[in-house]
Amino acid sequence: MSTDVSTLEFDVEQIINNRTNFNALPAICQRLELELPPADFQKYYHIFLLSLLLENNLNDARFLWKRIPPAIKSADGELQAIWAIGQSMWKKAYADVYIAAQAFSWSAANAPIVTSIIENYRKHMFQVLSKAYTTISVADAAACLGISPSTTVQECVQAGWTFDSITNTLAPTKEVISKMQKTGQEQLQQLTDYIVHLERK
C-alpha cells in the first residue's frame, strides 16, 4: 500500500472520528476508489455514498450505486438503507427522505453523517418552500420538513413566516420575499456581468 493511500485512509478515519469536515470525504473516497483494489475499497462504500448524498450530488450517488457489485448490495442492509434515502431524494419524495433516515439503526460511523444529511436537506427544503409558496398548509410544510406540525409553526415563525391559525397555513413575510427577490436579482446581475466579461476577452 502506497504512502498516499495510507494517508487518505487516515484522513477518512480522522474525519469520521472527529465528526467534522464531512465535505472532504467525496474527493478522498474518489481517490481511494481509483487506488485500492475493489475488495479493499468495499469498506468505504457507506461513507462514499453518504458523503455524496450530503452534498446533494445525486447523479454521482446513482453512478456509485450502479458500480457497487449486486452481491454486496444485496448482502448489506445498511448500504440498502443509505440508498433508500438517496432514492427518496432523487424521486423528490420529501417525506420519505426523513422516514428512510429514521427507519434504520445506523452504525456509529454513519449516524453523524446521516444526521448532517437530514439537517442539510431540511434547510434546503425550507428554502424551496420559501421560494415556491406564498402560502402553504402546516401539514404540507411539516411533511416537507420532516418535523411535527407544532415544531413547523414554531420554526417557520422564528424564521419570519406568518401563521394563520384560522386557515392553519403559513406564509413568508413580505420582508423575506423581498430579500429573496433581491438576492436573485443580484445573482442574475453577477451572471450577466460575468458573461459580458467573457465576451470581451
Side-chain angles (χ1 to χ4, degrees), residues 95-129:
D96 290 345
V97 172
Y98 307 105
I99 293 172
Q102 295 170 359
F104 193 84
S105 180
W106 302 100
S107 62
N110 293 339
I113 308 180
V114 174
T115 298
S116 294
I117 289 172
I118 295 305
E119 290 175 351
N120 283 5
Y121 190 75
R122 184 171 289 124
K123 290 176 183 177
H124 168 72
M125 286 308 305
F126 186 84
Q127 293 174 350
V128 169
L129 295 180

Side-chain angles (χ1 to χ4, degrees), residues 57-128:
N57 188 345
L58 302 183
N59 282 326
D60 284 355
R62 288 177 69 227
F63 288 131
L64 173 59
W65 179 254
K66 290 179 179 178
R67 293 197 302 272
I68 299 174
I72 293 177
K73 289 190 283 193
S74 62
D76 191 332
E78 188 158 14
L79 190 60
Q80 295 171 28
I82 294 169
W83 185 235
I85 298 175
Q87 282 182 308
S88 298
M89 293 172 70
W90 179 263
K91 295 176 182 177
K92 300 186 185 302
Y94 310 121
D96 290 345
V97 172
Y98 307 105
I99 293 172
Q102 295 170 359
F104 193 84
S105 180
W106 302 100
S107 62
N110 293 339
I113 308 180
V114 174
T115 298
S116 294
I117 289 172
I118 295 305
E119 290 175 351
N120 283 5
Y121 190 75
R122 184 171 289 124
K123 290 176 183 177
H124 168 72
M125 286 308 305
F126 186 84
Q127 293 174 350
V128 169

Side-chain angles (χ1 to χ4, degrees), residues 9-79:
E9 292 191 310
F10 177 78
D11 289 343
V12 171
E13 184 178 350
Q14 289 295 104
I15 290 171
I16 298 304
N17 289 340
N18 295 332
R19 302 185 177 187
T20 57
N21 201 27
F22 291 143
N23 62 333
L25 287 172
I28 296 175
C29 289
Q30 187 174 35
R31 289 185 59 189
L32 285 172
E33 186 178 18
L34 294 173
E35 296 286 343
L36 291 173
D40 292 339
F41 183 72
Q42 178 179 338
K43 62 184 177 182
Y44 294 108
Y45 283 140
H46 288 186
I47 298 301
F48 196 5
L49 190 56
L50 284 169
S51 67
L52 292 173
L53 296 181
L54 180 60
E55 287 192 335
N56 201 33
N57 188 345
L58 302 183
N59 282 326
D60 284 355
R62 288 177 69 227
F63 288 131
L64 173 59
W65 179 254
K66 290 179 179 178
R67 293 197 302 272
I68 299 174
I72 293 177
K73 289 190 283 193
S74 62
D76 191 332
E78 188 158 14
L79 190 60

Side-chain angles (χ1 to χ4, degrees), residues 6 40 57-58 66 85-86 93 109 133 139 141 146 154 161 176 192:
S6 298
D40 292 339
N57 188 345
L58 302 183
K66 290 179 179 178
I85 298 175
Y133 291 90
Q154 179 181 355
W161 289 49
V176 173
T192 302

